[in-house]
Amino acid sequence: MTTHITTPATDAPAEQETVREAPAPALPAAPAAPAAPAAEAPTAPTAPAPATGPAPAPAPKTGSAPSPLGRAARGLGRRLRALAVRSAALVALLALWETAPRLGLVDATFLPPVSEVATAWWELLGNGQLGQHTRASLARSFGGFGIAVAVAVPLGLLIGWYRPVAALLGPLLEVFRNTAALALLPVFVLLLGIGETSKVSIVVYACVWPVLLNTISAVGNADPTLVRLARSMDLSTPRLFQKVILPSSVPAIFTGIRLAGAVSILVLVAAEMIGAKAGLGYLINASQYNFAIPQMYAGIITISAIGVAFNQLLVTIERRLSTWRVPA
């Protein structure tokens, strides 16, 4: 009996095994559950990290784009804008000068348009008259200016450093510096004649005072702390002037030199109008008498251009000698 009982018992599990094994193929359907993560996988690229990763890359490119050529272009643009701002008033003046006589606002006989003045200036340059008169004026002006600077700077240093000398010469300086140079022009002509000596001498007299007074003021206003420090180091007087006094005095001295440069041209033109056979002052005066009004204005413009160029030259020299100064 046991044999019959065990035989169906063994068969029943077999059938049950077969029955249970039938849904076994459904087990592969279980991997279908991971399909949900697969659907979530596309959401990973939408994370902001990959999007922000490439974004910083173009930033260095834009920063490195301004090559030396780009910087030079920007610098040129800034200089052109500064030049346009500085020349706007001058351009407006020339435009007004050109249009006012043509519109009848002023008499064109006494104030011709600037185009006619430019034509007259070109004619004077072409026939050599402008060059001849300019050379004569520059020789007198620069000669007197150079003598004045060579005399006034050492004398100003001496007077500014030694108080007894300043006390002695102070009243005399006040008298002469308040006497106009043109007021003494007849005296120079009577004493020195009508030649070149009187013209150069009047330029020297007019240029001495701005340079002298500014030099005296510069030495007197030297930093006392630096002076005491230099003396504590046992520097001699020449070395003290070389290391302390002169460097600190350069800006004030050059202010006087620039004023003297302008005065040298103005006083010379007035002197040439009285007694001269050449020079820009003579050209202006002769053009007035001959009623050559465009030529007269051409001479005036030439004097203004020389004054501006001379002032710029002095400014350049001052910057070279004042490289120690900290820019504001």
Side-chain angles (χ1 to χ4, degrees):
M1 263 196 79
T2 57
T3 305
H4 292 290
I5 293 170
T6 56
T7 303
T10 54
D11 291 337
E15 291 177 1
Q16 292 176 356
E17 290 283 336
T18 56
V19 173
R20 290 176 183 174
E21 288 177 359
L27 293 174
E40 295 177 358
T43 60
T46 59
T52 55
K61 293 181 180 179
T62 55
S64 61
S67 58
L69 183 60
R71 289 193 298 270
R74 287 201 302 269
L76 179 60
R78 287 194 296 268
R79 284 191 289 269
L80 290 177
R81 286 193 297 270
L83 179 62
V85 171
R86 296 178 60 182
S87 59
L90 181 60
V91 172
L93 176 62
L94 294 177
L96 180 63
W97 189 354
E98 178 68 25
T99 57
R102 296 188 182 279
L103 296 177
L105 301 178
V106 294
D107 192 348
T109 304
F110 303 107
L111 184 63
V114 68
S115 57
E116 296 183 10
V117 175
T119 302
W121 186 90
W122 187 256
E123 292 176 356
L124 289 173
L125 182 64
N127 58 28
Q129 294 186 37
L130 186 63
Q132 175 187 357
H133 294 303
T134 302
R135 284 192 297 271
S137 293
L138 290 181
R140 297 163 183 160
S141 178
F142 288 172
F145 172 79
I147 295 172
V149 172
V151 171
V153 172
L155 185 59
L157 294 174
L158 179 65
I159 296 174
W161 184 253
Y162 294 103
R163 298 302 176 88
V165 179
L168 177 64
L169 299 180
L172 188 63
L173 296 178
E174 289 295 328
V175 170
F176 279 102
R177 82 180 186 91
N178 289 299
T179 304
L182 294 179
L184 296 177
L185 181 58
V187 178
F188 281 93
V189 172
L190 290 175
L191 296 177
L192 303 175
I194 204 171
E196 298 297 319
T197 306
S198 61
K199 297 177 179 58
V200 175
S201 299
I202 194 67
V203 172
V204 172
Y205 177 84
C207 294
V208 158
W209 305 113
V211 181
L212 180 63
L213 297 176
N214 279 273
T215 304
I216 295 173
S217 176
V219 175
N221 293 329
D223 191 350
T225 304
L226 294 177
V227 174
R228 288 194 299 268
L229 180 61
R231 284 177 172 171
S232 67
M233 298 173 65
D234 294 331
L235 289 181
S236 61
T237 300
R239 294 286 293 175
L240 178 63
F241 267 89
Q242 179 186 359
K243 296 297 183 180
V244 178
I245 302 300
L246 286 178
S248 63
S249 302
V250 164
I253 291 175
F254 263 89
T255 300
I257 290 176
R258 290 169 59 187
L259 292 174
V263 169
S264 67
I265 298 175
L266 299 178
V267 172
L268 177 65
V269 170
E272 288 175 344
M273 288 181 176
I274 294 178
K277 295 183 179 179
L280 293 174
Y282 169 78
L283 173 64
I284 295 172
N285 202 30
S287 300
Q288 179 190 5
Y289 283 135
N290 296 327
F291 213 72
I293 305 301
Q295 294 183 4
M296 181 187 74
Y297 283 105
I300 295 173
I301 290 177
T302 303
I303 292 173
S304 300
I306 291 173
V308 171
F310 191 32
N311 181 72
Q312 290 300 317
L313 176 63
L314 294 176
V315 169
T316 303
I317 296 174
E318 179 185 359
R319 288 174 180 171
R320 292 292 180 88
L321 297 177
S322 303
T323 53
W324 54 269
R325 299 178 65 187
V326 178

